[in-house]
Amino acid sequence: QKEVEQDPGPLSVPEGAIVSLNCTYSNSAFQYFMWYRQYSRKGPELLMYTYSSGNKEDGRFTAQVDKSSKYISLFIRDSQPSDSATYLCAMTTRGPGSQGNLIFGKGTKLSVKP
Amino acid sequence: KAGVTQTPRYLIKTRGQQVTLSCSPISGHRSVSWYQQTPGQGLQFLFEYFSETQRNKGNFPGRFSGRQFSNSRSEMNVSTLELGDSALYLCASSFGSGGTDTQYFGPGTRLTVL
């Protein structure tokens, strides 16, 4: 079993839809959970990070962590064509800057159609 | 402030050759990490350098090596290239090493091995 599983998609939604992106993991020691967005021909950029369980909201984006189910989600409200990108989840037992300890999902490719 | 830059952006090599990739971190950042991204394996950590010292190393063969200079610029070298080395190589920089310092990724170098 992979440490982090993420459905690769592709996921295609109409503009304005609510998008739900998910990852499951097996290591219960993970404490920090991150979502990165990667546009085509660009490097990943950190969208949000959450420590332990709970929700975190930033504008149209909400990150949820359910440690009991080992399941994390990213919700995008009122999705826009500019949200079209690959979204990668990542997690670690340390902080988001813990290079070498970050385990990434393979990414979900999202396309938002006008 | 300029972002992380990587050169070259695209590279084509043949099996058995060696290659050197370069990364210039954000000004003031002392930590540089390298990652390999492929469709099959996703984003995988190669190594991290902080103040010219290798701090962490991923599970890659010794053909992959790197170094960091006193100005924090970093190079990565792959010797005796194999077809499976074809990938996007990403460099990320952060102010510190570990903890909650955010990593900022460069656009990557796309390496194709023929």
Side-chain angles (χ1 to χ4, degrees):
Chain A
Q1 182 187 11
K2 291 270 187 185
E3 273 197 289
V4 178
E5 301 269 14
Q6 184 176 9
D7 187 334
L11 182 62
S12 183
V13 301
E15 183 176 353
I18 295 174
V19 176
S20 171
L21 304 166
N22 312 292
C23 288
T24 58
Y25 63 95
S26 58
N27 187 351
S28 58
F30 286 141
Q31 293 279 11
Y32 291 87
F33 304 89
M34 284 136 279
W35 286 96
Y36 287 80
R37 177 175 61 195
Q38 185 173 18
Y39 290 116
S40 180
R41 289 185 289 278
K42 299 276 191 180
E45 58 175 326
L46 181 64
L47 270 179
M48 304 177 70
Y49 83 85
T50 310
Y51 172 70
S52 195
S53 283
N55 293 2
K56 187 172 185 178
E57 191 173 316
D58 184 2
R60 296 183 296 110
F61 298 88
T62 300
Q64 279 187 356
V65 175
D66 181 350
K67 291 192 73 182
S68 62
S69 301
K70 297 191 182 71
Y71 189 88
I72 69 170
S73 301
L74 177 71
F75 296 97
I76 307 174
R77 289 184 301 281
D78 188 25
S79 56
Q80 303 294 309
S82 58
D83 295 327
S84 297
T86 296
Y87 290 79
L88 302 107
C89 64
M91 44 201 80
T92 177
T93 57
R94 305 183 191 175
S98 301
Q99 299 87 332
N101 295 291
L102 277 178
I103 307 297
F104 285 86
K106 292 186 181 178
T108 300
K109 188 169 184 177
L110 171 67
S111 179
V112 181
K113 304 293 185 186
Chain B
K1 194 182 260 191
V4 177
T5 57
Q6 292 185 246
T7 57
R9 292 293 311 278
Y10 301 92
L11 208 48
I12 299 175
K13 292 286 187 178
T14 56
R15 278 185 302 174
Q17 288 187 307
Q18 76 165 17
V19 66
T20 299
L21 312 181
S22 181
C23 171
S24 292
I26 291 171
S27 178
H29 285 189
R30 294 179 296 168
S31 173
V32 173
S33 295
W34 289 89
Y35 294 83
Q36 181 195 68
Q37 187 175 32
T38 60
Q41 299 299 319
L43 202 63
Q44 292 184 288
F45 173 78
L46 280 156
F47 28 68
E48 179 206 359
Y49 287 88
F50 181 81
S51 294
E52 301 178 67
T53 302
Q54 188 178 88
R55 294 286 294 263
N56 285 301
K57 189 176 190 303
N59 190 24
F60 278 83
R63 300 185 297 107
F64 292 82
S65 63
R67 59 178 176 167
Q68 187 180 34
F69 302 97
S70 58
N71 61 359
S72 293
R73 192 176 69 85
S74 177
E75 286 183 348
M76 188 193 103
N77 185 75
V78 188
S79 62
T80 320
L81 284 166
E82 300 177 0
L83 295 178
D85 297 333
S86 294
L88 180 67
Y89 289 88
L90 292 159
C91 163
S93 77
S94 63
F95 178 75
S97 176
T100 56
D101 287 337
T102 300
Q103 289 188 80
Y104 295 87
F105 284 85
T109 294
R110 172 76 61 185
L111 172 65
T112 301
V113 182
L114 302 176

